Amino acid sequence: MTTQSSPDDSAWEAKRRRAGVAAFLAATAASFAFFAFFAFFPGLPHVIDWGAVITSLAVGALARWARQSHMTRKHTASR
């Protein structure tokens, strides 16, 4: 037997998904800005390379996972 999700669960899942996307975008942008900040100093090596891009995406993914995990933990504790 399968259980059908209620409209409340669907709304919560949508809210969780939006929060995850927002966390991913904010953390990725902040991490990339951190690397770009050092690119403007004369004498420092140019740090905007594929490593910086991949690291920024990894930081964004970690922030998304953390935010969704926190929301799920908070949601299950309130039930």
mmCIF file of all heavy atoms in Angstrom, residues 2-3 9 11 14 33 43 47 50 58 62-63 69 76 78:
data_model
loop_
_atom_site.group_PDB
_atom_site.id
_atom_site.type_symbol
_atom_site.label_atom_id
_atom_site.label_comp_id
_atom_site.label_asym_id
_atom_site.label_seq_id
_atom_site.Cartn_x
_atom_site.Cartn_y
_atom_site.Cartn_z
ATOM 1 N N THR A 2 0.437 2.212 -0.712
ATOM 2 C CA THR A 2 1.167 3.471 -0.739
ATOM 3 C C THR A 2 0.362 4.539 -0.023
ATOM 4 O O THR A 2 -0.865 4.514 -0.029
ATOM 5 C CB THR A 2 1.426 3.923 -2.187
ATOM 6 O OG1 THR A 2 0.182 4.101 -2.841
ATOM 7 C CG2 THR A 2 2.260 2.902 -2.940
ATOM 8 N N THR A 3 1.066 5.433 0.584
ATOM 9 C CA THR A 3 0.386 6.530 1.267
ATOM 10 C C THR A 3 0.426 7.751 0.371
ATOM 11 O O THR A 3 1.439 8.030 -0.271
ATOM 12 C CB THR A 3 1.057 6.856 2.610
ATOM 13 O OG1 THR A 3 2.411 7.199 2.352
ATOM 14 C CG2 THR A 3 0.995 5.655 3.541
ATOM 15 N N ASP A 9 1.956 18.396 3.079
ATOM 16 C CA ASP A 9 3.277 17.829 2.821
ATOM 17 C C ASP A 9 3.864 18.361 1.522
ATOM 18 O O ASP A 9 5.063 18.621 1.440
ATOM 19 C CB ASP A 9 3.208 16.304 2.770
ATOM 20 C CG ASP A 9 2.999 15.687 4.133
ATOM 21 O OD1 ASP A 9 3.239 16.379 5.149
ATOM 22 O OD2 ASP A 9 2.582 14.513 4.191
ATOM 23 N N ALA A 11 3.260 21.273 0.175
ATOM 24 C CA ALA A 11 3.666 22.661 0.415
ATOM 25 C C ALA A 11 4.973 22.709 1.189
ATOM 26 O O ALA A 11 5.846 23.535 0.891
ATOM 27 C CB ALA A 11 2.572 23.403 1.178
ATOM 28 N N ALA A 14 7.845 21.828 -1.137
ATOM 29 C CA ALA A 14 8.158 22.950 -2.023
ATOM 30 C C ALA A 14 8.944 24.020 -1.267
ATOM 31 O O ALA A 14 9.899 24.599 -1.802
ATOM 32 C CB ALA A 14 6.872 23.540 -2.598
ATOM 33 N N ALA A 33 32.703 34.895 -4.723
ATOM 34 C CA ALA A 33 33.101 36.282 -4.434
ATOM 35 C C ALA A 33 34.364 36.306 -3.573
ATOM 36 O O ALA A 33 35.222 37.178 -3.740
ATOM 37 C CB ALA A 33 31.967 37.024 -3.740
ATOM 38 N N GLY A 43 50.049 41.325 -7.532
ATOM 39 C CA GLY A 43 51.113 40.496 -6.976
ATOM 40 C C GLY A 43 50.647 39.143 -6.490
ATOM 41 O O GLY A 43 51.460 38.255 -6.259
ATOM 42 N N VAL A 47 43.542 33.533 -8.906
ATOM 43 C CA VAL A 47 42.938 32.366 -8.267
ATOM 44 C C VAL A 47 41.597 31.965 -8.852
ATOM 45 O O VAL A 47 41.002 30.997 -8.412
ATOM 46 C CB VAL A 47 42.774 32.574 -6.736
ATOM 47 C CG1 VAL A 47 44.114 32.688 -6.072
ATOM 48 C CG2 VAL A 47 41.901 33.771 -6.459
ATOM 49 N N TRP A 50 39.429 26.798 -12.540
ATOM 50 C CA TRP A 50 38.418 25.750 -12.393
ATOM 51 C C TRP A 50 38.358 25.224 -10.968
ATOM 52 O O TRP A 50 37.312 24.796 -10.500
ATOM 53 C CB TRP A 50 38.688 24.613 -13.375
ATOM 54 C CG TRP A 50 38.256 24.998 -14.749
ATOM 55 C CD1 TRP A 50 39.055 25.261 -15.820
ATOM 56 C CD2 TRP A 50 36.909 25.202 -15.189
ATOM 57 N NE1 TRP A 50 38.291 25.621 -16.900
ATOM 58 C CE2 TRP A 50 36.968 25.586 -16.543
ATOM 59 C CE3 TRP A 50 35.678 25.099 -14.587
ATOM 60 C CZ2 TRP A 50 35.825 25.860 -17.291
ATOM 61 C CZ3 TRP A 50 34.538 25.379 -15.331
ATOM 62 C CH2 TRP A 50 34.620 25.751 -16.665
ATOM 63 N N ALA A 58 30.928 23.134 -4.697
ATOM 64 C CA ALA A 58 30.910 22.191 -3.576
ATOM 65 C C ALA A 58 30.427 22.874 -2.300
ATOM 66 O O ALA A 58 29.663 22.283 -1.521
ATOM 67 C CB ALA A 58 32.298 21.598 -3.362
ATOM 68 N N LEU A 62 27.106 21.827 -0.192
ATOM 69 C CA LEU A 62 27.166 21.570 1.246
ATOM 70 C C LEU A 62 26.167 22.449 2.002
ATOM 71 O O LEU A 62 25.482 21.978 2.915
ATOM 72 C CB LEU A 62 28.583 21.809 1.769
ATOM 73 C CG LEU A 62 28.810 21.558 3.252
ATOM 74 C CD1 LEU A 62 28.598 20.082 3.568
ATOM 75 C CD2 LEU A 62 30.208 21.985 3.641
ATOM 76 N N ALA A 63 26.062 23.708 1.603
ATOM 77 C CA ALA A 63 25.099 24.614 2.250
ATOM 78 C C ALA A 63 23.670 24.156 1.990
ATOM 79 O O ALA A 63 22.817 24.208 2.881
ATOM 80 C CB ALA A 63 25.301 26.029 1.743
ATOM 81 N N SER A 69 18.705 19.597 5.607
ATOM 82 C CA SER A 69 18.787 18.711 6.764
ATOM 83 C C SER A 69 18.229 19.395 8.002
ATOM 84 O O SER A 69 17.476 18.788 8.782
ATOM 85 C CB SER A 69 20.237 18.299 6.993
ATOM 86 O OG SER A 69 20.369 17.540 8.155
ATOM 87 N N THR A 76 10.403 17.388 11.597
ATOM 88 C CA THR A 76 10.042 16.133 12.256
ATOM 89 C C THR A 76 9.945 16.305 13.774
ATOM 90 O O THR A 76 9.203 15.593 14.421
ATOM 91 C CB THR A 76 11.053 15.021 11.922
ATOM 92 O OG1 THR A 76 12.358 15.462 12.251
ATOM 93 C CG2 THR A 76 10.981 14.660 10.456
ATOM 94 N N SER A 78 8.731 18.929 15.245
ATOM 95 C CA SER A 78 7.494 19.635 15.572
ATOM 96 C C SER A 78 6.269 18.760 15.401
ATOM 97 O O SER A 78 5.177 19.135 15.806
ATOM 98 C CB SER A 78 7.357 20.890 14.693
ATOM 99 O OG SER A 78 7.146 20.508 13.343
#
